[in-house]
Amino acid sequence: MTNFTERGPTGLLLPRYRPDGDRTHPPLLSPEYGSTVLRAPSRPLALLPQRLTEITGPLLGADRLGPLDHDLTRQHEDEPLGQRIIVHGQVRDGDGRPVPGTLVEVWQPNAAGRYRHAVDNWPAPLDPNFTGVGRTLTDADGRYRFVTVQPGAYPWRNHLNAWRPAHIHFSLFGRAFTQRLVTQMYFPGDPLFFQDPIFNSIPDPAARQRLVSRYDHSVSEPEWALGYEFDLVLRGRESTPFEDGDDDDD
């Protein structure tokens, strides 16, 4: 979204949002994705200026990270079940420059496709050694790295015989909680893309493919883990599609 101004009823110039004008990001209202009908805003979006609360709020620095936050396979006493994977990439701005010090968070279901969440009760097993949540900061070159397990597909009742493709949720924070972008990473060759309204809500088919990670054999470790690369571009022509809202379990 791009900031601009318009005159309010008193004649003052007021900050507002307007779409970037491309076909990269999904619309707020995508009727085939059922829950957007209930949650899409019915009024124009308004820019909320940063006030003292945002400026003096919690800092998102390295001192808030735990030593195993980036490795979802070592956060419990034993290892989780499933195919171990390494997910890495770079966060870049619209000019291709790396973005260092960005807080990157991930969350995902386990290898059976089940979230550790109170309302996720479909009959797939929970894994006592997998919570499915991680976070890290990008380094000086804007790079991040997670170790986790391959997530499973799961049913979600959006339409008849609806299954979500395997995916990992990504959240990127700037320097305040109001500076947040949310997206999803998919895996190459997934047979469920054709019926997933979240993936297909992105108008441009080429932009959809920017949500699909790339298998990276150079990062795969022999007899230990497969590697996947997923870069995140914040703005511009090659921007990663981001969600305008946040739905933790979809």
Side-chain angles (χ1 to χ4, degrees):
M1 308 291 281
T2 302
N3 298 344
F4 78 115
T5 58
E6 64 180 20
R7 293 199 179 276
T10 62
L12 294 176
L13 285 176
L14 301 175
R16 288 288 183 269
Y17 279 132
R18 68 180 174 193
D20 284 335
D22 60 20
R23 291 164 50 82
T24 297
H25 306 292
L28 290 168
L29 178 61
S30 300
E32 289 190 357
Y33 177 13
S35 64
T36 69
V37 177
L38 301 175
R39 73 184 188 202
S42 58
R43 300 180 181 180
L45 299 181
L47 179 65
L48 297 177
Q50 287 197 358
R51 301 187 185 278
L52 185 62
T53 301
E54 287 76 31
I55 297 172
T56 62
L59 298 177
L60 306 176
D63 57 336
R64 300 184 67 86
L65 296 177
L68 297 178
D69 282 0
H70 69 288
D71 190 338
L72 285 67
T73 68
R74 295 196 295 144
Q75 296 172 353
H76 297 272
E77 183 176 352
D78 294 314
E79 288 196 78
L81 297 174
Q83 171 67 60
R84 192 185 294 108
I85 61 174
I86 300 166
V87 178
H88 78 108
Q90 185 183 43
V91 179
R92 300 191 295 272
D93 65 17
D95 295 321
R97 296 171 299 193
V99 183
T102 296
L103 178 65
V104 182
E105 295 183 334
V106 294
W107 66 98
Q108 65 169 92
N110 63 23
R114 186 168 175 182
Y115 290 95
R116 186 173 289 277
H117 192 287
V119 300
D120 189 349
N121 55 11
W122 81 284
L126 282 172
D127 188 335
N129 296 306
F130 190 73
T131 304
V133 177
R135 59 183 181 173
T136 190
L137 285 178
T138 57
D139 64 16
D141 295 319
R143 298 193 176 277
Y144 72 88
R145 182 179 185 272
F146 289 101
V147 180
T148 183
V149 298
Q150 174 85 25
Y154 59 84
W156 66 306
R157 301 177 183 175
N158 185 80
H159 53 272
L160 180 65
N161 201 15
W163 292 80
R164 290 292 335 271
H167 61 279
I168 298 176
H169 297 266
F170 274 73
S171 168
L172 281 72
F173 281 100
R175 292 298 179 184
F177 285 113
T178 55
Q179 300 171 337
R180 188 188 188 202
L181 295 172
V182 177
T183 190
Q184 299 182 20
M185 184 198 96
Y186 298 91
F187 292 86
D190 197 303
L192 296 174
F193 287 149
F194 80 97
Q195 57 85 69
D196 183 52
I198 296 180
F199 182 76
N200 292 299
S201 68
I202 300 166
D204 182 3
R208 292 175 204 160
Q209 295 308 310
R210 295 200 286 272
L211 293 183
V212 181
S213 60
R214 180 182 69 85
Y215 171 68
D216 189 347
H217 196 66
S218 68
V219 170
S220 296
E221 298 192 12
E223 301 180 22
W224 192 75
L226 298 177
Y228 290 91
E229 183 179 30
F230 184 58
D231 291 340
L232 296 129
V233 181
L234 304 184
R235 295 297 300 271
R237 243 180 190 178
E238 300 301 315
S239 170
T240 302
F242 291 101
E243 302 173 13
D244 291 303
D246 176 14
D247 195 344
D248 287 356
D249 295 324
D250 288 346

